[in-house]
Amino acid sequence: MKIGYFLSSEEYSPAELIEQARLAEEAGFDGLWISDHFHPWNDEQGESAFVWSTIGAISQVCELPVTTAVTCPTVRIHPAVIAQAAATSAVLLNGRFRLGVGTGEALNEHVLGSGWPTLDVRLEMLEEAVEIMRRLWTEDGFVNHHGKHYTVDTARIYTRPQEPLPIYMSGFGPEATDVAARIADGYLTTSPDPELLRRFREHGGGEKPAQAGFKVSYAPTAEEGVEQAHRIWPNAGLPGELAQVLPSPRHFEQASQLVTKESTAQSVAAGPKADAHVEAFKPYADAGFDEVYVANIGPYSVDMMNLYRTEVLPELRLGKERSHG
């Protein structure tokens, strides 16, 4: 199991994300996830830079592979434009880029005034978007496409990597997981759900790579870690489809009032002890994920990186060796 670092565009400035990417490589992480948002989930998080600019800067300070977690190439930005942005990122990263895609959230996608489609329509749009992007990355001439949701008129991407980009797709429910198994080169999720991973494998995913990500909250004490996780990321405790349908940070702040500090304490590894951080990976390892990405909440990113470099990553890798011994 590879272990990566998850860059939260909603919580940190571009300069902080670039520095975290550099530190993650020094600490021994295997790769990077980076979120792609127009809005943060709430005002306390307070950031949401344009991810493609940040990726370009990261490519100049870090050699780690980068995956977007995730980009929605369907409503706010046309898939042809995402195809160009992703191709440029892959060139800058010398092929170490994977485009993670998903059906998105109203939080980010409603900003141009479009109605928010139902899940079945969003999945249909995403499948068509993936087809367009792959054509733009692989065909030598101009691409024309007149589909149900998108039109592309004599378009050609000139700056693109030698090999077509892999597309990984998120699946938080059975319908999206089935589509991911059928059309994507890999699978993304934020839940250590073994049933969904098994569904992906059995419905066409086979041995395709499966990635997952989660958050921890390093702090000098466990109590402070819980407090900052509850203050900055209470939305992580919201159930069901709320994350996909609420349209603004204000609505997430209102809904998050229902999330208790006790539930946050039960769901997030908090504090400075390596054992708690190591244990947080266990459900993902047990479920069978190939790569797991961990994000840190709060201002102690440097201290968190040091803990992972000296204790957490060595213990996780030693545990992997023991399990194969």
Side-chain angles (χ1 to χ4, degrees):
M1 183 177 75
K2 293 183 177 180
I3 302 160
Y5 189 78
F6 186 177
L7 299 164
S8 295
S9 300
E10 309 95 305
E11 186 180 348
Y12 300 102
S13 70
E16 289 172 317
L17 294 171
I18 294 160
E19 179 65 4
Q20 286 178 19
R22 186 184 67 79
L23 291 172
E25 184 172 37
E26 290 182 359
F29 285 96
D30 297 313
L32 298 170
W33 264 16
I34 186 166
S35 54
D36 179 1
H37 271 241
F38 189 89
H39 290 138
W41 299 98
N42 56 53
D43 285 352
E44 186 66 35
Q45 291 165 10
E47 295 284 349
S48 207
F50 191 57
V51 73
W52 303 105
S53 301
T54 307
I55 291 171
I58 287 171
S59 73
Q60 303 304 294
V61 302
C62 177
E63 296 291 323
L64 293 178
V66 178
T67 306
T68 52
V70 294
T71 291
C72 178
T74 58
V75 178
R76 174 170 46 101
I77 304 180
H78 192 282
V81 179
I82 294 294
Q84 184 188 27
T88 301
S89 297
V91 169
L92 285 168
L93 286 158
N94 295 316
R96 301 183 310 276
F97 180 73
R98 293 165 292 199
L99 179 62
V101 300
T103 58
E105 300 94 13
L107 173 73
N108 301 306
E109 303 305 316
H110 81 281
V111 295
L112 301 183
S114 301
W116 186 232
T118 58
L119 176 60
D120 58 331
V121 174
R122 301 201 311 270
L123 286 169
E124 188 178 84
M125 294 172 73
L126 182 58
E127 186 165 356
E128 186 177 339
V130 166
E131 177 190 350
I132 290 167
M133 292 188 293
R134 284 190 170 132
R135 289 188 62 194
L136 286 165
W137 294 333
T138 57
E139 296 186 14
D140 292 330
F142 287 95
V143 171
N144 289 281
H145 175 90
H146 300 280
K148 182 175 181 180
H149 300 287
Y150 304 107
T151 297
V152 177
D153 182 17
T154 54
R156 181 179 178 184
I157 294 177
Y158 282 82
T159 301
R160 63 191 194 188
Q162 291 183 341
E163 299 295 327
L165 280 72
I167 294 178
Y168 289 14
M169 180 179 158
S170 66
F172 300 125
E175 297 92 344
T177 299
D178 289 350
V179 175
R182 180 163 51 82
I183 73 169
D185 302 303
Y187 178 61
L188 301 169
T189 186
T190 56
S191 168
D193 187 331
E195 294 301 321
L196 280 180
L197 181 54
R198 187 177 303 112
R199 186 181 184 105
F200 173 76
R201 300 271 189 228
E202 293 175 353
H203 285 71
E207 297 302 314
K208 294 175 184 177
Q211 301 180 346
F214 69 99
K215 290 179 171 57
V216 298
S217 186
Y218 181 96
T221 67
E223 291 76 16
E224 184 178 350
V226 170
E227 186 281 327
Q228 67 189 13
H230 190 66
R231 175 172 51 83
I232 301 171
W233 284 89
N235 56 284
L238 294 176
E241 297 180 30
L242 284 176
Q244 281 73 54
V245 300
L246 295 179
S248 80
R250 181 178 68 253
H251 294 106
F252 278 94
E253 288 165 1
Q254 293 167 356
S256 294
Q257 294 175 15
L258 302 173
V259 180
T260 66
K261 188 177 288 188
E262 290 73 23
S263 66
T264 299
Q266 292 173 1
S267 63
V268 178
K273 294 185 177 179
D275 289 351
H277 290 261
V278 170
E279 188 66 21
F281 283 84
K282 190 173 186 301
Y284 298 90
D286 291 346
F289 285 94
D290 303 295
E291 302 178 31
V292 180
Y293 293 76
V294 58
N296 189 54
I297 297 170
Y300 300 105
S301 296
V302 173
D303 297 311
M304 181 267 197
M305 295 279 190
N306 287 334
L307 177 71
Y308 274 63
R309 175 176 55 82
T310 58
E311 298 185 55
V312 176
L313 294 179
E315 176 60 28
L316 287 168
R317 286 166 181 152
L318 183 61
K320 180 182 178 182
E321 290 176 7
R322 290 196 201 104
S323 67
H324 286 81

